Amino acid sequence: MNKTDAPESSASDASMHIDPVIDPAIAAELQGRYAQEFSTLWQQMLTAQVPAVTDRRFANPAWQSSSLHAFNAAAYLLNGKYLAAMADAMQVPPKAKQKIRFAVEQMVNAMSPANFLFSNPEAQQKIIETKGESLTTGLKHLFEDIQKGRISQSDESAFEVGRNVAITEGAVVYENELFQLLQYSPLTPTVYERPLLLVPPCINKYYILDLQPHNSFVRYAVEQGHTVFLISWRNADASIAGATWDDYIETGVLKAIAVAQSVSSQEKINVLGFCVGGTMLTNALALACARGDKPIASLTLLTTFIDFSDTGMLDVYIDEEKVKETEQAIGQGGLMKGLDFNAAFASLRSNELIWSYVTSHYLKGENPAPFDMLYWNADSTNLPGPMYCWYLRNTYLENNLKQFGKFKLAGKKIDFGKIDAPSFIYGSRDDHIVPWTSAYASTNILNRKKPQQNHFVLGASGHIAGVINPPGKNKRHYWINDKPATKNDADALTWLADATEVSGSWWPAWAEFLAQHSGKKIKARRNLGNAEFKAIEAAPGRYVKVKAS
């Protein structure tokens, strides 16, 4: 079942008042087990025994330096375990239970004794060793982050867009109020005749695909002999606060496709969409199909939703009431602030993305380490309110994209099943934003009459680290299986059970796929753009450097 046909988990049910109920027998069992385990723990405390604690937050020897500190950690973990068990025992609809679990998890994570100076022996020891300097430095970090309105996750002074990130050479060959189109300079004597257009998410800056030379997906594609174009979305401000989803599809993605076709003199091009960029790209291609156009030779989707039946933990933020509130606030004009996006995403992994930095930077006074991915993660972007509200309602709330005729783009009824092109579809196994089974679900929508054109690849790690996995590091692994499975999650798991695990990066497998659909090799042109679309400025362009206000 999905969001549109499961009454017990629908958005409207989730926004109704629900009185949580726990089966009395289960409650009694939990209480009895808790009392027994706590009693054992208390006896260990009284006899100065140090309980074993395996959680990495308490791995420092300081936590084992006294039975009191070890007891605090062990009691906290015991309480957290049984609070989670009580949340799981709630007899409520699935979506309500997910929200209860999430709320309990946030509370438990926040209450860790590692997060408070008076209960963190490691931080206390650091103060003594540094004669108070760690405390002074920690307070300095705290006040700086209060000014920023967010927690610093990396040394942001170590990076600068255009200096040591987003430095692949190229030029802006087109721009309008929504985006700049970058064309990258060739790095090979010959190139494939068909170019590649990259559509990154507008919810982040594009340079996650062009970090540093050793981990730049853009540079890797150029090195394989492809002429690469890339959309650099504008960081929305008041001047485009009324832009709609249709605007982003028509004036954004479809315009970029047209410019890439013109500059390359190719009727068909290869296209790639990443995350929300992939959702936008498939919307644009479905609209092109509705108009009788077929502008692509191949499609690549990286960690992309088309079917929003299972949106994972992000679902805790989406219900009818919340969407209506957002529509009333900014649906007719206004901005969805990038800082709010960052806070929501960080909460999905609050121990790793919030509390670990609270303890290391504030309590222990450690300086943030330079890390290009985390620098990018903090470089947030705003979105126009009308565009964002359309996206929320038609995807996460109502799951309309996979239903033919449920909505229109530019006055046309849309059917994603009519997208007909060889497709490379990638999901990350530990993705907490786009569950890999949801990425796999695109194989049941695209190429409806030619499912053999869909090639699914599953990578290790998460939403970002799984994608940005260059071959040079020979890290992680991926799974391949060209025997198609269909219909639902169970078949996705069947696909995985029959898949072959391959060591290293999935990028070479993608490069091999892309080469098959890129045409013949031609001499590389050193001049970027053409007579109609001349170079405006050097890459990375102006738009990507604008900070969210």
Side-chain angles (χ1 to χ4, degrees):
M1 286 189 170
N2 61 43
K3 294 179 183 177
T4 61
D5 59 16
E8 73 274 14
S9 60
S10 68
S12 58
D13 285 349
S15 61
M16 294 169 58
H17 175 73
I18 297 170
D19 292 320
V21 176
I22 300 180
D23 185 300
I26 295 176
E29 180 188 356
L30 290 174
Q31 289 169 354
R33 283 162 41 197
Y34 173 80
Q36 183 177 12
E37 290 190 46
F38 189 85
S39 176
T40 300
L41 193 61
W42 182 249
Q43 289 302 316
Q44 289 178 328
M45 167 70 177
L46 294 178
T47 57
Q49 296 180 58
V50 178
V53 177
T54 57
D55 190 291
R56 65 180 182 179
R57 288 172 290 180
F58 312 113
N60 189 280
W63 290 96
Q64 302 294 312
S65 64
S66 78
S67 57
L68 176 61
H69 294 318
F71 172 80
N72 281 345
Y76 160 75
L77 293 173
L78 180 65
N79 288 330
K81 182 175 78 170
Y82 279 97
L83 283 170
M86 288 181 66
D88 286 338
M90 294 286 186
Q91 295 176 334
V92 294
K95 183 158 184 171
K97 181 177 284 192
Q98 185 183 38
K99 290 191 174 188
I100 292 170
R101 283 175 179 152
F102 182 73
V104 168
E105 179 185 277
Q106 297 304 303
M107 179 186 70
V108 169
N109 290 349
M111 295 304 294
S112 167
N115 299 339
F116 302 94
L117 185 59
F118 70 85
S119 56
N120 187 324
E122 187 181 357
Q124 295 167 5
Q125 185 175 309
K126 194 84 177 283
I127 292 174
I128 296 171
E129 291 173 352
T130 63
K131 299 180 180 179
E133 185 177 344
S134 65
L135 180 60
T136 302
T137 303
L139 289 171
K140 176 175 174 289
H141 290 329
L142 174 61
F143 291 138
E144 288 174 348
D145 285 353
I146 289 173
Q147 292 294 316
K148 294 178 182 177
R150 57 179 171 81
I151 296 173
S152 296
Q153 298 175 329
S154 70
D155 178 4
E156 296 173 13
S157 66
F159 301 102
E160 182 183 350
V161 174
R163 178 175 63 84
N164 56 0
V165 292
I167 59 172
T168 302
E169 290 187 5
V172 175
V173 296
Y174 174 81
E175 66 180 47
N176 62 25
E177 67 276 12
L178 296 182
F179 76 99
Q180 289 187 314
L181 185 67
L182 279 59
Q183 181 185 1
Y184 290 96
S185 302
L187 294 173
T188 53
T190 61
V191 295
Y192 291 102
E193 61 181 344
R194 287 194 185 118
L196 170 65
L197 170 65
L198 305 181
V199 184
C202 55
I203 202 171
N204 299 105
K205 301 286 183 71
Y206 83 79
Y207 63 89
I208 187 59
L209 295 173
D210 187 28
L211 289 169
Q212 300 181 78
H214 70 275
N215 61 355
S216 168
F217 186 86
V218 168
R219 186 176 183 87
Y220 177 80
V222 176
E223 288 174 341
Q224 306 312 302
H226 296 285
T227 298
V228 177
F229 294 86
L230 179 145
I231 292 177
S232 173
W233 296 107
R234 183 176 179 184
N235 202 337
D237 58 19
S239 67
I240 58 168
T244 65
W245 182 262
D246 277 23
D247 293 332
Y248 271 74
I249 303 306
E250 190 86 80
T251 312
V253 180
L254 286 176
K255 183 60 180 180
I257 290 174
V259 175
Q261 288 173 313
S262 172
V263 173
S264 64
S265 301
Q266 291 292 309
E267 182 181 347
K268 291 183 180 291
I269 66 172
N270 296 307
V271 292
L272 178 151
F274 180 18
C275 188
V276 181
T279 306
M280 298 170 73
L281 175 58
T282 49
N283 271 256
L285 297 177
L287 176 56
C289 288
R291 291 170 171 169
D293 299 330
K294 294 186 176 181
I296 65 167
S298 77
L299 167 65
T300 298
L301 296 178
L302 308 180
T303 60
T304 292
F305 278 124
I306 300 177
D307 183 348
F308 286 74
S309 298
D310 176 13
T311 55
M313 286 305 298
L314 277 175
D315 211 35
V316 299
Y317 289 116
I318 310 296
D319 59 42
E320 180 67 35
E321 183 178 351
K322 286 189 175 68
V323 172
K324 279 186 175 178
E325 288 176 0
T326 305
E327 289 171 337
Q328 291 170 0
I330 59 174
Q332 300 303 312
L335 296 176
M336 178 61 193
K337 295 292 187 178
L339 283 176
D340 295 335
F341 281 128
N342 280 11
F345 286 127
S347 71
L348 301 181
R349 292 169 52 205
S350 58
N351 274 338
E352 293 87 352
L353 298 178
I354 298 176
W355 298 113
S356 65
Y357 297 108
V358 168
T359 57
S360 62
H361 298 169
Y362 305 158
L363 301 188
K364 293 189 283 184
E366 296 173 355
N367 292 320
F371 188 11
D372 52 8
M373 284 189 189
L374 290 178
Y375 171 81
W376 162 84
N377 188 59
D379 195 0
S380 60
T381 56
N382 303 323
L383 290 180
M387 175 267 196
Y388 174 68
C389 289
W390 188 101
Y391 174 65
L392 271 189
R393 177 165 292 281
N394 285 278
T395 59
Y396 285 92
L397 186 65
E398 298 181 357
N399 194 19
N400 289 333
L401 302 192
K402 73 170 194 172
Q403 302 177 68
F404 170 63
K406 186 70 174 180
F407 74 98
K408 293 182 178 181
L409 286 175
K412 295 284 188 180
K413 286 188 176 181
I414 299 302
D415 182 2
F416 284 75
K418 291 185 177 178
I419 296 175
D420 178 9
S423 299
F424 184 102
I425 302 165
Y426 170 87
S428 288
R429 191 166 187 178
D430 299 324
D431 195 335
H432 64 292
I433 294 175
V434 181
W436 80 264
T437 51
S438 295
Y440 177 87
S442 297
T443 64
N444 301 320
I445 299 173
L446 302 172
N447 294 302
R448 190 164 52 217
K449 294 182 179 180
K450 301 176 185 176
Q452 69 277 9
Q453 291 195 119
N454 293 324
H455 304 276
F456 185 75
V457 172
L458 178 63
S461 196
H463 189 70
I464 298 300
V467 172
I468 308 303
N469 184 28
K473 293 190 175 183
N474 197 29
K475 292 174 62 177
R476 305 188 183 96
H477 46 269
Y478 63 97
W479 293 265
I480 55 173
N481 177 7
D482 282 334
K483 183 169 62 177
T486 56
K487 305 296 184 187
N488 54 37
D489 283 2
D491 286 326
L493 297 177
T494 300
W495 178 95
L496 179 59
D498 294 335
T500 301
E501 182 176 326
V502 182
S503 297
S505 169
W506 59 270
W507 290 13
W510 169 75
E512 182 179 345
F513 163 85
L514 192 63
Q516 296 171 7
H517 307 288
S518 297
K520 64 184 180 182
K521 289 286 191 77
I522 59 176
K523 184 179 180 180
R525 288 169 40 202
R526 299 299 160 183
N527 294 327
L528 305 182
N530 63 8
E532 182 179 3
F533 301 106
K534 297 181 174 64
I536 298 170
E537 61 180 334
R542 307 186 312 282
Y543 285 12
V544 72
K545 296 181 180 180
V546 176
K547 299 292 184 181
S549 57

